[in-house]
Amino acid sequence: MVKLGYKLMAEEHGPADLVRNLQRAEAAGFDLAAISDHYSPWLEEQGHSSFAWSVLGAMAQATTRIGLMTAVTCPLFRYHPAIIAQAAATVALLSGDRFTLGLGAGERLNEHVIGTGWPGVVERHARLSEALDILGGLLGGGMTQYEGRYYRLDHAKLYDRPAHPVPLVLAAGGPEAARLAAKKSHGMIATEPKKELVEAYRQAGGRGPCYAEVGLCVAESEAAGQEMAHRYFRWSLSGWPVMAELPHTGSFDAASEQVTPEMVGKQVSCGPRAEAHLQAIHRYVEAGFDHIILTQIGPEQERFIALFERELAPALRR
């Protein structure tokens, strides 16, 4: 059966609201919840960007059943992988082993803030490969020293570590990243319904879950949903090769200046009808993704959760 997730957009909601939204999602029957881990929102209209790890600690204590994960954390620049290993182990303990660490190569938007620059994609992927080795080694308890090209460990040890290592899930936008996920993590996460990503992951020996984030905008009408999605989500139409390189909210605003609500509506299912949203979701299920994380765009979280309880969840779980 497909597992159903709820996306906590830390760029659109303050930390206290994120915790309340999560409690509502747990009561509604979601299997898991994934929080974004950003230093900055993509657009000024979004207006938020709290520290995900502080919020995760509060979430672990405010819930009892729902799975928690990051979607996704970049352990390469503003975070050293050893620090993320410690953070992940701590959240896993606080949540009773309900935590999964979602990882990716990051965006300039968040990582350039520490003033060390933003290298090219080849270096970023090489760093990610080293970071995965460190995270797996520290969380598994078998590593205290490491000497790589980009990262080092000197007598690192996690003193508070769960009995079962935290699962690592790697973001993949192409087959190469999917194969890396199969080799060095316990699952894969994507944002597009590309069957070839799942196939590349499985063919490379990946046996873990395949997560997909699905954006939608439940609203009183299709037009209202398109307007809302345009206000908060138009940045996503830039495409990953552009998104990874833009440095601040002004850049994303300029890059999306020509995007209209109708254009966003072609990429995101909008409106009150469950059928439209189910059609969009089924594209990911048919591509082979077995963990579907639903991203309700904008402030109308309660409208979305009510539709999830009433129509989306029963249809998806049949």
Side-chain angles (χ1 to χ4, degrees):
M1 181 184 294
V2 171
K3 298 290 186 181
L4 300 177
Y6 175 68
K7 184 64 181 284
L8 295 150
M9 292 290 283
E11 303 78 25
E12 296 181 13
H13 309 276
D17 285 336
L18 289 170
V19 175
R20 283 190 289 268
N21 290 344
L22 175 65
Q23 290 175 313
R24 180 70 180 91
E26 182 176 57
F30 279 95
D31 300 302
L32 66 132
I35 187 171
S36 50
D37 185 359
H38 278 203
Y39 196 89
S40 171
W42 292 277
L43 299 168
E44 288 296 315
E45 290 96 323
Q46 292 177 306
H48 295 280
S49 197
S50 53
F51 186 53
W53 293 94
S54 297
V55 181
L56 279 163
M59 290 174 171
Q61 298 300 291
T63 56
T64 60
R65 177 196 57 80
I66 193 168
L68 303 173
M69 70 180 293
T70 53
V72 291
T73 289
C74 173
L76 308 183
F77 301 101
R78 65 191 167 102
Y79 300 135
H80 188 283
I83 303 304
I84 293 304
Q86 185 185 33
T90 300
V91 173
L93 289 169
L94 287 171
S95 64
D97 283 331
R98 288 186 284 136
F99 182 65
T100 297
L101 179 58
L103 299 160
E107 300 175 59
R108 185 180 178 188
L109 172 72
N110 304 297
E111 308 308 318
H112 82 286
V113 297
I114 59 172
T116 58
W118 181 240
V121 66
V122 173
E123 179 179 329
R124 300 200 303 266
H125 287 172
R127 284 177 175 270
L128 182 60
S129 181
E130 285 192 13
L132 288 166
D133 291 338
I134 291 171
L135 287 160
L138 287 174
L139 290 167
M143 177 185 290
T144 60
Q145 304 285 119
Y146 184 85
E147 185 74 28
R149 180 176 180 182
Y150 300 104
Y151 302 108
R152 295 174 178 82
L153 295 179
D154 182 10
H155 292 87
K157 179 181 177 180
L158 297 180
Y159 283 87
D160 287 295
R161 185 171 55 84
H164 303 287
V166 176
L168 309 180
V169 173
L170 186 63
E176 183 179 349
R179 287 189 285 269
L180 181 63
K183 180 181 179 182
K184 293 195 174 186
S185 75
H186 308 97
M188 180 185 72
I189 184 169
T191 58
E192 296 179 275
K194 292 182 176 179
K195 186 177 182 179
E196 58 266 31
L197 292 179
V198 178
E199 290 176 344
Y201 174 72
R202 298 299 183 202
Q203 289 170 4
R207 296 293 178 264
C210 289
Y211 296 77
E213 293 187 17
V214 184
L216 48 87
C217 190
V218 176
E220 63 182 357
S221 68
E222 183 176 1
Q226 289 180 359
E227 290 290 342
M228 191 182 303
H230 177 262
R231 176 176 174 80
Y232 292 102
F233 212 65
R234 64 184 186 276
W235 55 269
S236 66
L237 270 68
S238 302
W240 181 248
V242 174
M243 288 163 49
E245 305 297 334
L246 298 180
H248 48 69
T249 57
S251 300
F252 278 92
D253 192 49
S256 59
E257 187 176 7
Q258 303 303 316
V259 175
T260 65
E262 292 74 22
M263 291 168 66
V264 178
K266 291 181 180 179
Q267 301 294 322
V268 175
S269 61
C270 298
R273 296 176 56 250
E275 292 81 4
H277 301 301
L278 288 169
Q279 185 176 4
I281 294 165
H282 279 305
R283 293 171 59 211
Y284 291 81
V285 177
E286 290 168 0
F289 293 95
D290 48 31
H291 286 58
I292 304 297
I293 302 170
L294 302 179
T295 304
Q296 165 66 6
I297 300 163
E300 296 217 33
Q301 299 298 306
E302 182 54 42
R303 185 189 292 270
F304 160 68
I305 291 175
L307 184 67
F308 173 83
E309 288 180 296
R310 188 174 65 249
E311 297 186 62
L312 297 181
L316 290 167
R317 286 176 170 147
R318 272 201 291 269

